[in-house]
Amino acid sequence: PFSWYEKMRKESPVRKDERRGAWDAFDYQSVKYVLETKELFSSNRSKKQEDEQKSPIELSLISIDPPKHTQMRSLVKKAFTPKVMKEWRPRIERIAKQLLDEIDPASEIDIVTQFSYPLPVMVIAEILGVPIEDQSKFKEWSEWVVAGPKDNSPEAIKHLEQNQQRTYHELYVYFKEIISNKREHPEKDIISVLLGAEAQGTVLSEDEIIGFCILLLVAGNETTTNLISNAFYCFTEFPDIYEEILRNPKDILPLAIEEVLRYRSPVQAMSRVAKEDIILGDAQIKAGDIVVAWMGSANRDEQQFEQAGQFNIKRKPNPHLAFGKGIHFCLGAPLARLEAEIAIEEWMKRYPKFEKSSNFSLEPIESTFVYGLKEFKLSVL
Ligand code: HEM
């Protein structure tokens, strides 16, 4: 998409796509403005009326505005503090090692299915405190939640809606049971933390806790998978830089991960709804219009980043927008960074030398909003 972004930034940094009836913002300043100006751009994208039933995602943190957002975020952020993160490190290391133990270095390795996909699912299962055996269900559920219709036919849309409704129902029943168990026997996991907050008379209802669990499942899995796979993609693309990381991972790896986030952003775009008539650049946006903020383009904007088209792990500061900006800034960013760091560190300890398999081509995921690879085959040297 990157050459298309470049063309759009030059020709029409904010434009209306008449076919979709939505606005697109491509330059860094406009993307940042859309994301952080909560007074003008709403995260409530649902087209449903007040009296219609909303899905758990439509009710969750990522889809609500202040003041409700402020209240809910201040509760759930307790589960993502630096202290909590420190406690998770050994657990994530154990999971990464376990996955590496299962890899046979003598044969070709698909880094996506064998490593970067299972890792975040296992971590989130642990953090939510749900049995690891339920992983395959998680996979199916999260795929339906993020799925789009196959085409624009009424049948395809109906098929999707039916499956999403079934999925939400199954997720609801599943988490309801888990919550009831944890009420009796609280442990060291997010659900128990949130139930503790509920007990202190705060605002999270059981439905909201369920909505939040579902959000974590879908917001944290594919994104982190793509960050890890995209990092390996960059390493094989720029072997000299990889050598540098390998020599001094402690100092350089965190910077390299930030540059992967900028250069190959796992989430390319987020949308908002204009709350009133707004002028943005040359564009006259009307109240109710959808505005898509293309972070993937902003992160390659030459006006913001010197030599934006170069993968340069020395960038400091690196104010990329891969995790968003403002009040909805990714809650899981510290966790995603930690998972990527541990995954790559553990991999490098075990298999420092590897190369991209020669007999396959890189196939990107077919989605406009998420950016990653379906598979990525490596051979260990
Ligand atoms: C929000 C990206 C991993 C949980 C966001 C947003 C972005 C993002 C761009 C902002 C959405 C907006 O402005 O509308 C990413 C990327 C990830 C990642 C690129 C991995 C590399 C995770 C993980 C978790 C998580 C691991 C949790 C386990 C959330 C939550 C929100 C969010 C709860 C909503 C925050 C709010 O609305 O206040 N993420 N995310 N994310 N992310 Fe992430």
Side-chain angles (χ1 to χ4, degrees), residues 61-62 69 73 124 220 223-224 270 272 295 322-323 328 330 332:
L61 199 61
I62 206 162
H69 177 270
R73 177 126 180 166
I124 206 74
T223 48
T224 312
M270 283 309 301
R272 294 287 188 270
M295 290 103 75
F323 288 122
H328 290 279
C330 178

Side-chain angles (χ1 to χ4, degrees), residues 35 43 45 61-62 69 73 80 124 212 215-216 219-220 223-224 227 261 266-267 270 272 295 322-324 327-332 335-336 339:
L35 292 174
S43 286
R45 289 152 284 228
L61 199 61
I62 206 162
H69 177 270
R73 177 126 180 166
F80 287 87
I124 206 74
F212 185 63
L215 175 64
L216 291 189
T223 48
T224 312
L227 173 57
L261 282 160
V267 178
M270 283 309 301
R272 294 287 188 270
M295 290 103 75
F323 288 122
I327 60 165
H328 290 279
F329 182 83
C330 178
L331 186 70
L335 175 61
E339 285 183 60

Side-chain angles (χ1 to χ4, degrees), residues 100 103 105 109 242 346-354 380:
L100 288 169
I103 286 176
I109 300 166
Y242 174 69
E346 293 299 327
W347 172 279
M348 289 193 310
K349 276 191 215 157
R350 199 119 15 146
Y351 306 122
K353 297 238 180 290
F354 57 88
V380 168

Side-chain angles (χ1 to χ4, degrees), residues 44-74:
N44 175 4
R45 289 152 284 228
S46 169
K47 293 191 193 82
K48 291 185 186 148
Q49 303 293 324
E50 286 293 315
D51 56 350
E52 278 180 272
Q53 201 191 4
K54 292 192 173 176
S55 74
I57 294 291
E58 288 170 326
L59 292 168
S60 78
L61 199 61
I62 206 162
S63 312
I64 57 177
D65 293 329
K68 186 79 189 161
H69 177 270
T70 323
Q71 286 174 349
M72 208 193 256
R73 177 126 180 166
S74 85

